Amino acid sequence: MSTPTLTAVLGDITTQRVDAVVNAANTAMRGGGGVDGAIHRAGGPAILADCIRRFPHGLATGDAGWTTGGDLPARWVIQVVGPNYAGGQRDRALLASCYRRALEVADELHAASIAFPLISAGVYAWPKTDAVDAAVTTLRATPTHVRDVRIVAFDAATHRMVEDRLARKEQPRTMDR
Ligand code: AR6
């Protein structure tokens, strides 16, 4: 176990050439909008079929599990369910748990590289600065065998926020909610 290289990437997570991409799903685990929709579209029906087979009762908020990557360049999708800030789920530990559990699942799969979206920062409306901070802080603090960990931002402004946060070592949490 050691500390992986953590990098910021600007782009579409579905095109990342990594062993596993992380999906910001919901507890039903049957697809949705945002990055979830993009991953199911790009990966094809094998992902939904695997969700139904492997997660007949869905997945709990804060937890992670894996499915095939289907037609994606990535071999696996690590499905996580972030807290729905807009819906009143504001326990930051649940957000941190998504990142930690995803790395645990990646270790079970012996994945060497993984790409994360900014979990809960879209439809679920977690405040962006704090979502970036939770991602960087948790990924830095979690021991793993994964060597290459990427945070993929979908727009330039968010990418800059992740880069700025990565450039700083450790800081107190931002309280912007
Ligand atoms: N590549 C990288 N990042 C992306 C992409 C992409 N292709 N598409 C969106 N993002 P969201 P959530 C960014 O809404 O907030 C779904 O309906 C986006 O800009 O995908 O956890 C699920 O089914 C944002 O920064 O996930 C759930 O019901 C981040 O990914 C719910 O939305 C997360 O935004 C989950 O909401």
Side-chain angles (χ1 to χ4, degrees):
M1 295 275 178
S2 61
T3 314
T5 308
L6 186 54
T7 50
V9 174
L10 173 60
D12 181 346
I13 202 168
T14 64
T15 65
Q16 290 294 302
R17 299 201 166 273
V18 284
D19 292 338
V21 295
V22 175
N23 184 23
N26 56 59
T27 53
M29 288 270 286
R30 299 294 179 263
V35 72
D36 195 7
I39 283 174
H40 279 269
R41 272 193 304 279
I47 297 180
L48 179 59
D50 222 13
C51 283
I52 293 167
R53 186 166 49 239
R54 304 198 67 248
F55 301 94
H57 307 294
L59 190 66
T61 303
D63 204 359
W66 62 271
T67 63
T68 176
D71 298 330
L72 294 173
R75 181 165 172 198
W76 297 287
V77 176
I78 296 179
Q79 314 272 350
V80 304
V81 182
N84 184 352
Y85 189 93
Q89 292 182 319
R90 301 188 176 184
D91 181 359
R92 198 175 192 263
L94 288 173
L95 184 55
S97 171
C98 291
Y99 290 97
R100 203 167 40 246
R101 284 285 303 126
L103 285 180
E104 285 172 11
V105 172
D107 278 337
E108 287 166 19
L109 295 167
H110 301 289
S113 53
I114 187 170
F116 284 86
L118 267 186
I119 300 162
S120 293
V123 172
Y124 284 174
W126 199 281
K128 190 73 76 72
T129 309
D130 197 50
V132 169
D133 189 70
V136 172
T137 304
T138 310
L139 291 173
R140 272 189 179 150
T142 307
T144 176
H145 290 295
V146 181
R147 305 303 312 162
D148 168 4
V149 178
R150 307 176 191 176
I151 299 173
V152 180
F154 206 35
D155 62 85
T158 306
H159 179 244
R160 169 71 65 88
M161 288 173 70
V162 178
E163 286 211 306
D164 287 352
R165 181 63 189 82
L166 285 174
R168 288 181 276 138
K169 280 289 171 220
E170 282 312 321
Q171 24 256 246
R173 279 176 44 188
T174 47
M175 297 298 292
D176 64 345
R177 332 181 215 155

